[in-house]
Amino acid sequence: MNYSTLLFDVDDTLLNFQSSEKQALTKLFQSLHKPLTAKIYQDYHSLNAQLWRKYERGEISRETLLDQRFNLFFQHYGQNVDGKAYSQKYRSSYQKVTIKCQMPANSWPT
């Protein structure tokens, strides 16, 4: 049997998304010299999940989500920040801590 498309759901299946998220957020907060408490992490995680649900429903764009989530998060704590810059730092750390799975092309079933 030949397949034209093969989809993988990697979030929390092949990759431990929550662990990578927490490690990247920890690195971001360390670079900002701010404490990352369990409450602060939970607040971020909840806001981030809400924004991704809005994206999935087509209510916001991916760019808006990525550019605004740190603005919204820090506004919750009464701080105005450069959300794009914070997002870039976070995403850079996230990419470094996420395990990258690669399968050689010749190992796909035919």
Side-chain angles (χ1 to χ4, degrees):
M1 176 179 273
N2 290 327
Y3 297 95
S4 63
T5 305
L6 186 59
L7 299 175
F8 289 95
D9 176 10
V10 298
D11 291 348
D12 293 327
T13 52
L14 296 176
L15 303 177
N16 187 336
F17 173 77
Q18 289 187 12
S19 174
S20 297
E21 175 189 63
K22 189 165 189 178
Q23 288 178 52
L25 203 59
T26 298
K27 288 184 181 292
L28 173 65
F29 271 68
Q30 287 172 345
S31 75
L32 301 172
H33 307 287
K34 295 181 182 287
L36 178 62
T37 65
K39 169 77 169 106
I40 292 171
Y41 172 72
Q42 185 56 47
D43 288 348
Y44 170 80
H45 183 74
S46 295
L47 172 67
N48 193 44
Q50 289 173 3
L51 291 172
W52 280 105
R53 285 191 295 273
K54 284 184 176 186
Y55 168 72
E56 291 167 357
R57 292 189 303 258
E59 296 172 11
I60 60 173
S61 69
R62 184 174 187 272
E63 182 178 352
T64 297
L65 183 155
L66 297 176
D67 289 348
Q68 295 298 315
R69 66 179 160 184
F70 287 105
N71 286 336
L72 295 170
F73 175 70
F74 281 97
Q75 283 174 3
H76 176 76
Y77 290 97
Q79 299 176 29
N80 291 318
V81 300
D82 182 347
K84 284 185 180 184
Y86 281 27
S87 183
Q88 289 172 347
K89 284 183 182 183
Y90 170 82
R91 292 176 70 197
S92 175
S93 293
Y94 183 83
Q95 290 171 352
K96 290 175 185 173
V97 299
T98 301
I99 298 170
K100 296 187 175 157
C101 300
Q102 294 185 2
M103 181 182 282
N106 62 354
S107 66
W108 291 96
T110 57

